[in-house]
Amino acid sequence: MIIDFHTHTFPDKVAVKAVPKLEKSASIRAFTDGTVRGLTGSMEEAGIDISVIVPVVTNPVKAEEINEYAAKTNEAHKNIISFGGIHPDTESYKAVIKKAKALGLKGIKLHPEFQDTDFDDIRYKRILSFNEELGLITLVHAGFDGSFPGSMHCGVKNILNVIEKIRPERLVLAHMGGCNIWKDIKKYIAGANVFFDTAFSFGVKQIPGLLTEEEFTDLARAHGTKKILFGTDSPWGEQREMSEFIKNSRLTEEEKADILSQNALRLLNIS
């Protein structure tokens, strides 16, 4: 079984404009058209059993609408688990998150770059604390983002502050703890009681400087392979290529199984 814990889709009408815009801003190319249909087609080709969609809320007033759309996506697709989202400036954030929980959403995505907020800002800390109280997973973009050169709102210092103050049990740091800051992640964050996902950390051929197989394996083991979740960042990562990367790595078969599915099953509470 393979679970892709980090994917993105857009409503069909939005995808037509959003995907080319993001390709241009980040200087990358998409491997699907950015729709749910494109994702499920990629899953079938790559042998992915379940994909988790993590929507990014860029407008504070759109959070509830996005979460309702996520719930409808879940109802329509048995092999899709869409999280919800929240913006640090969303008013009545507790009510919005409570409704997301009532809709059956298992997690909330935060993106400090698109939301222009440091991860250890009090607004994020409050959101993370409330998510923990409700038993929701929080997945946060960590490290750099190609669309925001020179900016990093979720670096090692921000992460350490959050871990110290909140002590979260269900926090997922995307991109193996922090995109393109892996040496510092290994030194300061590895081993902490948080999860990493593998999204956009290896196996994207057109992007130089990502982790080699040896570097990935060393970081995964330094952190603990029971706390690593397979993710691709689809459409920005190719699901087949990235799953093959794990399968062909020098990890043990047990470690591969944990990363590809077992850790996600436990965190998502799926039997």
Side-chain angles (χ1 to χ4, degrees):
M1 182 179 219
I2 303 177
I3 298 175
D4 186 342
F5 208 88
H6 188 140
T7 71
H8 299 281
T9 64
F10 306 90
D12 291 3
K13 292 181 179 179
V14 176
V16 174
K17 294 183 178 179
V19 170
K21 181 179 179 180
L22 289 167
E23 284 181 313
K24 183 177 181 180
S25 67
S27 299
I28 55 176
R29 78 177 175 91
F31 291 96
T32 78
D33 64 0
T35 66
V36 174
R37 181 180 60 257
L39 174 62
T40 55
S42 172
M43 290 169 62
E44 183 176 354
E45 181 180 340
I48 306 294
D49 297 280
I50 297 172
S51 283
V52 178
I53 297 172
V54 288
V56 178
V57 178
T58 58
N59 185 332
V61 302
K62 294 287 187 178
E64 195 165 1
E65 178 184 329
I66 287 170
N67 294 342
E68 289 172 353
Y69 180 81
K72 290 178 181 177
T73 300
N74 291 340
E75 290 174 4
H77 301 275
K78 291 183 179 180
N79 59 349
I80 296 291
I81 298 173
S82 183
F83 282 8
I86 196 75
H87 193 285
D89 291 329
T90 298
E91 294 183 6
S92 304
Y93 72 93
K94 286 189 174 182
V96 174
I97 295 173
K98 273 186 178 179
K99 185 172 181 181
K101 170 79 171 180
L103 288 169
L105 305 186
K106 291 178 177 286
I108 297 293
K109 170 68 183 287
L110 305 175
H111 201 304
E113 297 307 320
F114 275 98
Q115 296 171 340
D116 195 22
T117 305
D118 288 341
F119 183 48
D120 53 354
D121 186 282
I122 186 61
R123 291 167 292 172
Y124 275 148
K125 288 178 180 176
R126 289 168 179 164
I127 288 168
L128 183 56
S129 293
F130 194 59
N131 289 347
E132 289 283 329
E133 182 182 329
L134 295 182
L136 292 169
I137 300 161
T138 304
L139 190 150
V140 60
H141 172 93
F144 288 104
D145 185 296
S147 294
F148 299 88
S151 174
M152 185 169 60
H153 287 293
C154 185
V156 165
K157 182 179 178 181
N158 311 105
I159 294 166
L160 287 173
N161 283 340
V162 167
I163 291 173
E164 180 184 357
K165 298 295 184 183
I166 307 300
R167 301 197 179 279
E169 297 289 331
R170 300 173 183 84
L171 174 61
V172 180
L173 301 173
H175 315 297
M176 283 302 287
C179 188
N180 286 331
I181 56 170
W182 294 300
K183 287 183 179 179
D184 286 340
I185 292 297
K186 185 177 180 180
K187 184 175 181 180
Y188 297 107
I189 307 296
N193 188 32
V194 295
F195 293 86
F196 294 172
D197 79 32
T198 70
F200 215 88
S201 58
F202 58 74
V204 185
K205 293 176 181 176
Q206 77 266 32
I207 302 296
L210 299 184
L211 293 168
T212 65
E213 188 275 328
E214 182 178 0
E215 290 168 338
F216 165 75
T217 301
D218 288 346
L219 178 54
R221 286 177 171 166
H223 184 55
T225 54
K226 297 289 185 184
K227 296 180 289 185
I228 306 292
L229 305 161
F230 174 68
T232 65
D233 215 6
S234 176
W236 315 117
E238 189 175 32
Q239 289 185 310
R240 170 176 283 184
E241 178 189 0
M242 298 186 79
S243 60
E244 289 295 325
F245 183 100
I246 298 291
K247 292 176 184 177
N248 295 329
S249 72
R250 59 189 174 95
L251 293 165
T252 68
E253 292 306 309
E254 180 181 351
E255 289 171 328
K256 293 174 186 178
D258 280 337
I259 292 170
L260 288 173
S261 64
Q262 298 306 304
N263 297 337
L265 288 171
R266 287 189 287 268
L267 184 57
L268 293 166
N269 194 26
I270 299 174
S271 59

